[in-house]
């Protein structure tokens, strides 16, 4: 045989072997404690867009259960959850999720275990064939150059259950990644994970990993900081203007304390944004309302307060700045309080383990704070009104005065408590200079 003919035959033979060889892509999460997820797409499935695909899930000892899901979120597609059934066998539970709660067993997912599955030296291995896993819940293809997947795991002792609807503990870690499944196309084997020849690629992108323990702590921190700021600090520090109406209240008490509340709200907001990113819900209704409430108290309120204070130092009168500062402050505080209640509903929908007493206690505290706030304002207004004996003499004094009477200057540096915009001209006093 001539050399060129020999080379052509060798190349053809190599191509035949390669086309029959199973191409596999894998992902090993860096925080997955040695867990790996591998995928193979047969040549026929790739050409037709439908048919079986093969998955291999492996986990070292110390993993109670672990899972692989299709799509960028757990609600996008099929989920494959694996845990030990006995000392030597594993259970494959095919599930589907409708929200961020424990997914339920779905027998319509046509997936089953293949040869090589089981527990070997403590390592759980699940070789899976799925015959209806080429499309996601929204009809989009699960194959392609940027196929999205999610994963989750819980550490602990072996579960030892053959029940496919076994109740599962919430995962310790979860994440997502994308794979180029065009690199996983190859072969038409009935079990690509036991053939002797294969190509292995690690070709993942857009990896995201979340510690659920840290996420839980961030949720608590976000809820505590924002609730304290909006429910307790903002209203109480505003009431100081009514309880202690002194010219030094605003610059020395009200403003510094409200600045502290603003910083606390801003810190809680930052933690909340981090939680939203972890949950991939940064555009949800609860975060969006939080953007408005925190943006108002961080940006708008300080500017209006400073403008009113400067105006008062020059003129000794109230202004539109002060009125806007007062009523917008109440609006933003109320919006933050309401959003806190929405946040409890939002968190409960994603984590049913939240105690029922938490939102109840939040509602009681908010209601009590509302009653205190309204009572103090009504009390101050009643103190500002003239007494009946003084009210009887008012027509007499108005009749005798040749010039209009100037309103009494309240002992407040921004005059937010005055009912009238007419005040005494006290610019000559040293504390107003």
């Amino acid at each position: 045989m001539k050399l060129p003919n020999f080379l052509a035959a060798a190349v053809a033979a190599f191509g035949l072997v390669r086309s029959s060889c199973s191409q596999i892509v894998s992902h090993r999460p860096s925080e997955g404690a040695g867990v790996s997820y591998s995928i193979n797409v047969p040549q026929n499935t790739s050409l037709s867009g439908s048919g079986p695909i093969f998955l291999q899930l492996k986990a070292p000892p110390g993993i109670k259960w672990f899972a692989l899901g299709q799509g960028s979120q757990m609600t996008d597609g099929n989920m494959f959850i694996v845990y030990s059934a006995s000392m030597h066998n594993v259970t494959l539970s095919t599930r589907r999720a409708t929200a961020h709660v424990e997914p339920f067993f779905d027998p319509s997912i046509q997936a089953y275990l293949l040869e090589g599955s089981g527990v070997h030296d403590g390592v759980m291995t699940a070789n899976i064939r799925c015959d209806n896993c080429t499309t996601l819940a929204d009809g989009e293809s699960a194959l392609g150059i940027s196929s999205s997947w999610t994963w989750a795991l819980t550490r602990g002792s072996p579960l030892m259950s053959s029940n496919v609807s076994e109740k599962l503990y919430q995962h310790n870690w979860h994440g997502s990644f994308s794979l180029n499944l065009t690199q996983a196309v190859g072969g038409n084997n009935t079990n690509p994970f036991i053939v002797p020849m294969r190509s292995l690629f690690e070709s993942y992108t857009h990896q995201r990993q979340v510690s659920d323990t840290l996420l839980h702590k961030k949720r608590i921190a976000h809820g505590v900081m924002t609730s304290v700021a909006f429910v307790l600090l903002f209203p109480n520090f505003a009431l100081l203007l009514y309880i202690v109406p002194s010219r030094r209240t605003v610059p020395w008490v009200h403003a510094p304390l409200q600045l502290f509340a603003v910083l606390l709200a801003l810190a809680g907001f930052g933690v909340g944004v981090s939680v939203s990113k972890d949950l991939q819900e940064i555009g949800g209704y609860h975060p969006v309302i939080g953007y408005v409430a925190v943006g108002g108290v961080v940006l708008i309120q300080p500017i209006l307060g400073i403008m009113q204070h400067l105006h008062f130092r020059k003129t000794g009168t109230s202004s539109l700045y002060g009125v806007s500062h007062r009523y917008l402050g109440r609006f933003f505080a109320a919006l933050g309080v309401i959003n806190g209640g929405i946040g409890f509903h939002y968190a409960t929908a994603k984590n049913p383990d939240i105690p029922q007493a938490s939102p109840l206690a939040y509602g009681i505290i908010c209601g009590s704070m509302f009653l205190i706030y309204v009572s103090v304002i009504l009390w101050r207004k009643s103190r500002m009104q003239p007494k009946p004996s003084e009210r009887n003499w008012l027509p007499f004094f108005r009749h005798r005065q040749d010039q209009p009477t100037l309103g009494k200057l309240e002992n407040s540096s921004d005059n937010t408590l005055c009912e009238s915009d007419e005040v005494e001209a006290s610019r000559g006093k040293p504390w107003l200079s």
Side-chain angles (χ1 to χ4, degrees):
M1 180 183 294
K2 296 181 179 180
L3 184 59
N5 293 335
F6 173 77
L7 292 177
V11 170
F14 178 78
L16 180 63
V17 171
R18 181 173 174 82
S19 65
S20 63
C21 181
S22 299
Q23 304 287 97
I24 297 172
V25 293
S26 299
H27 174 56
R28 295 180 176 86
S30 59
E31 299 295 342
V35 173
S36 67
Y37 304 98
S38 302
I39 303 172
N40 166 254
V41 181
Q43 187 75 31
N44 293 340
T45 300
S46 176
L47 294 174
S48 64
S50 63
I53 63 172
F54 297 92
L55 314 169
Q56 184 184 69
L57 282 64
K58 297 186 70 173
I63 302 298
K64 182 182 290 289
W65 65 263
F66 65 119
L68 179 66
Q70 294 182 293
S72 59
Q73 297 186 10
M74 62 184 294
T75 57
D76 286 344
N78 306 320
M79 301 184 68
F80 310 92
I81 302 178
V82 178
Y83 42 88
S84 59
S86 64
M87 293 295 295
H88 303 289
N89 299 318
V90 296
T91 298
L92 170 64
S93 178
T94 53
R95 304 196 182 195
R96 198 178 301 275
T98 57
H100 288 271
V101 294
E102 182 180 354
F104 58 90
F105 173 68
D106 187 353
S108 68
I109 303 174
Q110 301 172 16
Y112 48 90
L113 292 172
L114 301 175
E115 181 184 355
S117 301
V119 181
H120 310 284
D121 296 328
V123 177
M124 288 189 289
T125 301
N127 296 330
I128 305 169
R129 168 175 171 158
C130 184
D131 292 335
N132 60 346
C133 294
T134 56
T135 57
L136 302 178
D138 58 3
E140 294 291 328
S141 175
L143 311 178
I145 61 174
S146 184
S147 178
S148 298
W149 298 79
T150 60
W151 62 271
L153 63 85
T154 290
R155 296 185 176 93
S157 56
L159 198 55
M160 298 296 183
S161 173
S162 58
N163 181 10
V164 293
S165 299
E166 182 73 25
K167 181 175 178 58
L168 302 176
Y169 297 94
Q170 187 176 7
H171 39 71
N172 300 137
W173 281 88
H174 73 275
S176 62
F177 59 93
S178 296
L179 288 174
N180 182 359
L181 290 189
T182 60
Q183 295 180 336
V185 176
N188 287 300
N189 298 288
T190 57
N191 190 346
F193 301 108
I194 61 173
V195 294
M197 297 180 63
R198 67 172 185 248
S199 299
L200 178 65
F201 299 89
E202 290 192 26
S203 179
Y204 61 87
T205 57
H206 303 103
Q207 179 180 203
R208 183 182 65 89
Q209 301 183 122
V210 178
S211 167
D212 291 282
T213 302
L214 180 59
L215 176 61
H216 180 67
K217 293 179 180 179
K218 290 193 291 186
R219 276 174 163 167
I220 294 176
H222 167 68
V224 169
M225 287 190 288
T226 53
S227 296
V228 169
F230 281 95
V231 178
L232 299 178
L233 300 190
F234 285 131
N236 280 312
F237 294 163
L239 288 179
L240 291 175
L241 295 173
Y242 296 85
I243 298 174
V244 189
S246 168
R247 65 177 179 268
R248 295 184 178 87
T249 301
V250 167
W252 297 103
V253 180
H254 173 76
L257 290 179
Q258 290 289 41
L259 177 60
F260 170 75
V262 166
L263 294 177
L264 184 64
L266 192 60
F269 171 77
V271 176
V273 170
S274 177
V275 171
S276 298
K277 288 182 177 179
D278 289 342
L279 299 176
Q280 295 182 295
E281 296 285 351
I282 199 167
Y285 55 89
H286 174 66
V288 169
I289 296 175
Y291 304 153
V292 176
V294 175
V297 298
V298 171
L299 300 176
I300 299 177
Q301 283 300 95
I303 294 175
L304 291 176
I306 293 172
M307 295 299 294
Q308 165 57 27
H309 184 64
L310 295 176
H311 176 84
F312 183 82
R313 287 176 63 89
K314 292 180 180 179
T315 66
T317 63
S318 182
S319 69
L320 183 60
Y321 298 123
V323 175
S324 301
H325 178 74
R326 184 192 315 164
Y327 288 102
L328 281 178
R330 295 172 181 175
F331 169 76
F332 289 130
L335 186 64
V337 170
I338 294 172
N339 198 39
I342 295 176
F344 273 105
H345 173 74
Y346 192 78
T348 304
K350 299 180 182 300
N351 187 2
D353 295 332
I354 294 178
Q356 294 295 326
S358 298
L360 180 61
Y362 180 81
I364 293 175
I365 295 173
C366 291
S368 302
M369 191 62 239
F370 174 77
L371 293 177
I372 293 173
Y373 188 86
V374 173
S375 299
V376 171
I377 292 178
L378 294 178
W379 166 76
R380 170 51 60 182
K381 287 192 174 184
S382 67
R383 292 286 300 271
M384 292 172 62
Q385 292 179 354
K387 297 179 181 179
S389 57
E390 296 175 350
R391 194 179 297 116
N392 293 335
W393 287 99
L394 284 177
F396 173 76
F397 282 111
R398 289 198 185 102
H399 178 71
R400 294 191 59 184
Q401 287 175 343
D402 296 328
Q403 297 180 352
T405 303
L406 295 178
K408 182 179 178 181
L409 175 65
E410 290 296 322
N411 201 13
S412 172
S413 64
D414 65 354
N415 199 28
T416 56
L417 303 183
C418 296
E419 294 297 324
S420 172
D421 288 338
E422 296 178 342
V423 296
E424 287 183 319
S426 303
R427 279 174 257 166
K429 293 185 179 180
W431 58 270
L432 287 175
S433 58

